[in-house]
Amino acid sequence: RRRPLRRRSHDVEIASASLFEGVSRAGFAADHLAERLLGRSRDGVIGTPAGSWYAPGGATRTAAPDAARRQGSWSGTLEFHHPDGTRRRVETTLAVLTAPDGALDGYVAISRDVTDRDRDAEAHRVTDARLDAVISSSPLAVYVHDREMVVSHWNAAAERIFGWTAEEAVGHVLQ
């Protein structure tokens, strides 16, 4: 039989679950993935202000909870310090827990680590920028088309050699 979320279980105090300062007690419901993400055990988290986990220059320690209090919930990306010295980027949805009298009782946060995804996307953007620079500055005609022969890229050398501007070639079928 499931217990209501607001009751105290022997593992977690859901009603006082808070990852942010400003709540009298901090509880923390963590599985092994959350512990790996934060690099801290459940016991190492309880009673510590989450503001101390934020990476310098990232979101302020009060921005997310303030927005959640105003709107009932908040979603965004935060950067946290990991004990190994790295920063972890975390997509988080934060919801407010209220006491029966309507007072703030804590927060529930659901997070996922997007550090690797964001790093890979940045590497892809850098690679694309380099490739664009090589293609743009090439003295050789460089153009790209798909299986249907529709042109998607046309450099300046292709304009000079073939006589069509990029505006005339891109989006059209090569014949």
Side-chain angles (χ1 to χ4, degrees):
R1 180 172 166 255
R2 291 185 177 186
R3 295 180 181 177
L5 285 179
R6 301 207 53 82
R7 290 209 181 148
R8 184 179 180 151
S9 83
H10 68 284
D11 292 327
V12 181
E13 291 181 326
I14 298 289
S16 62
S18 171
L19 296 181
F20 297 91
E21 295 177 49
V23 178
S24 59
R25 292 180 303 164
F28 184 63
D31 60 14
H32 68 284
L33 296 174
E35 289 181 357
R36 187 177 73 201
L37 169 67
L38 294 173
R40 296 163 175 86
S41 69
R42 180 181 182 272
D43 292 336
V45 170
I46 292 177
T48 63
S52 65
W53 309 338
Y54 286 111
T60 66
R61 68 180 68 183
T62 60
D66 287 349
R69 279 193 297 271
R70 284 192 310 275
Q71 303 164 6
S73 66
W74 174 88
S75 292
T77 303
L78 302 170
E79 281 193 4
F80 287 101
H81 285 292
H82 194 277
D84 68 7
T86 61
R87 290 182 180 199
R88 305 304 298 173
R89 289 184 51 79
V90 181
E91 282 183 350
T92 300
T93 298
L94 184 66
V96 173
L97 293 173
T98 56
D101 65 359
L104 175 65
D105 200 17
Y107 302 91
V108 172
I110 300 173
S111 300
R112 84 179 164 142
D113 186 344
V114 295
T115 306
D116 295 335
R117 181 200 71 187
D118 288 358
R119 185 185 59 242
D120 292 347
E122 178 59 23
H124 190 265
R125 280 189 293 276
V126 168
T127 299
D128 280 353
R130 286 181 185 149
L131 181 59
D132 285 345
V134 169
I135 290 172
S136 297
S137 63
S138 174
L140 303 174
V142 179
Y143 57 92
V144 178
H145 61 79
D146 62 14
R147 290 182 185 187
E148 287 78 35
M149 301 298 287
V150 176
V151 176
S152 61
H153 293 81
W154 191 266
N155 74 349
E159 289 182 353
R160 284 191 310 277
I161 293 168
F162 298 116
W164 295 305
T165 67
E167 292 79 25
E168 293 169 323
V170 173
H172 293 90
V173 176
L174 287 177
Q175 296 184 11

